[in-house]
Amino acid sequence: MNDYRDVNRANWNDRASAHAASPDYGVARFADDPAHLSDVVRFDRELLGDLSGLRGVHLQCHIGTDTVSLARLGATMTGLDFSDKSLIEARKVAELAGADVRFVQSDVYDARDAVGDGYDFVFTGIGALCWLPDVARWARVVASLLRPGGRLFLREGHPMLWSLQDARTDALVVEFPYFERSEPTVWTENGSYVSTDVEFTHNTTHEWNHGLGEIVTAVLDAGLTLTGLVEHQSVPWEALPGQMTLLPNGEWQLTDRPWRLPHTYTLQAVRNTV
């Protein structure tokens, strides 16, 4: 497998069922509580505003917990992912939740051909952009999916966080690229970011970082107008093991002087009408 998509798809397919079974995703709660939302969407809810009656597409939706949560907020949702095994789990989550969500398998760069256009909003969540080699191409795809005046809502891990070495527990050490590079950072890791005892077979991934300025510029060049950019001092997983504290809202924060590090950010933009 030489193509980055084949390598990464094998990794995600290997982990999809384990993620769905992990307590970290809390899939059963969607059946137990009709009002349950994923932690990510609960964090975003104030900035998301009223989604009632809006038509949305969630790019790189994985097992669909955020997609289903957006549907519970009143949106008509389509979820898109390149991993067929992830979408099997996503459809199970939607069935458990009693949510009418369409899930489509496609590479994100082919999203418009796969799901059409004219959407009121595009949602992209934590840990998505790092799988894409070209953020400018991604932004053009987003613009092509939106109706004029439609909105992009992106919450992501901060590129400064992605550049840090996560094996250190005594210091913040910048080790990996901050800016987008043509060559990927290649990782080989046996586990996953959720609690699981499953042993995986496909453990290699190809990933890219994109600087915050590169992301903003890509969005502007694609014909969108920036309407919000907020940097946050928390992240939904223990990104720096041994250096973070779990907060009451389920997010993690750097224990020592968290104001030193942007953990995540939320970017909002609208497609220009002319």
Side-chain angles (χ1 to χ4, degrees):
M1 293 185 294
N2 295 318
D3 187 284
Y4 75 90
R5 287 163 293 196
D6 292 335
V7 173
N8 290 342
R9 185 184 296 109
N11 182 276
W12 283 104
N13 276 348
D14 212 11
R15 287 155 174 75
S17 60
H19 287 182
S22 170
D24 297 310
Y25 271 100
V27 166
R29 285 179 285 175
F30 285 95
D32 297 338
D33 179 3
H36 176 70
L37 302 174
S38 67
D39 291 342
V40 169
V41 170
R42 191 180 303 111
F43 182 96
D44 294 333
R45 189 167 186 176
E46 182 176 350
L47 288 177
L48 280 166
D50 185 8
L51 301 183
S52 300
L54 299 184
R55 181 169 170 255
V57 57
H58 178 190
L59 301 181
Q60 298 165 273
C61 67
H62 190 36
I63 65 169
T65 51
D66 297 339
T67 327
V68 167
S69 297
L70 294 167
R72 283 189 161 179
L73 294 180
T76 300
M77 290 303 304
T78 295
L80 179 141
D81 201 275
F82 75 158
S83 163
D84 55 311
K85 302 298 185 186
S86 294
L87 293 182
I88 289 172
E89 302 300 333
R91 293 183 181 103
K92 291 178 184 177
V93 173
E95 184 177 2
L96 282 172
D100 184 13
V101 177
R102 177 175 66 138
F103 290 103
V104 178
Q105 183 183 359
S106 171
D107 182 77
V108 69
Y109 289 138
D110 300 324
R112 184 178 181 181
D113 289 339
V115 300
D117 57 12
Y119 288 91
D120 296 305
F121 70 95
V122 170
F123 179 90
T124 296
I126 298 283
L129 295 188
C130 62
W131 303 100
L132 304 177
D134 186 343
V135 74
R137 185 181 176 190
W138 165 84
R140 291 192 296 271
V141 170
V142 168
S144 75
L145 292 167
L146 290 169
R147 64 167 175 78
R151 175 172 60 145
L152 165 65
F153 189 98
L154 167 69
R155 185 181 178 220
E156 251 294 7
H158 200 285
M160 193 65 238
L161 177 68
W162 296 132
S163 74
L164 298 179
Q165 185 183 110
D166 61 3
R168 293 286 293 268
T169 59
D170 60 329
L172 300 180
V173 178
V174 177
E175 177 68 22
F176 304 108
Y178 175 87
F179 296 105
E180 182 181 300
R181 296 172 60 84
S182 58
E183 293 299 318
T185 300
V186 178
W187 302 90
T188 300
E189 297 180 325
N190 297 330
S192 183
Y193 56 83
V194 302
S195 303
T196 179
D197 295 325
V198 176
E199 294 186 6
F200 303 111
T201 302
H202 299 285
N203 298 317
T204 298
T205 58
H206 293 184
E207 301 178 35
W208 292 262
N209 204 1
H210 314 282
L212 193 58
E214 293 173 328
I215 295 165
V216 170
T217 299
V219 168
L220 297 176
D221 286 348
L224 281 71
T225 295
L226 197 69
T227 58
L229 180 60
V230 182
E231 295 172 294
H232 307 291
Q233 295 181 39
S234 67
V235 65
W237 80 101
E238 192 179 7
L240 299 171
Q243 294 200 69
M244 306 195 90
T245 298
L246 181 62
L247 302 176
N249 66 354
E251 298 248 322
W252 293 83
Q253 184 178 73
L254 191 68
T255 302
D256 180 20
R257 295 167 292 159
W259 55 87
R260 292 182 293 157
L261 177 69
H263 296 46
T264 56
Y265 66 95
T266 299
L267 182 152
Q268 297 189 71
V270 297
R271 181 182 164 187
N272 298 333
T273 55
V274 292

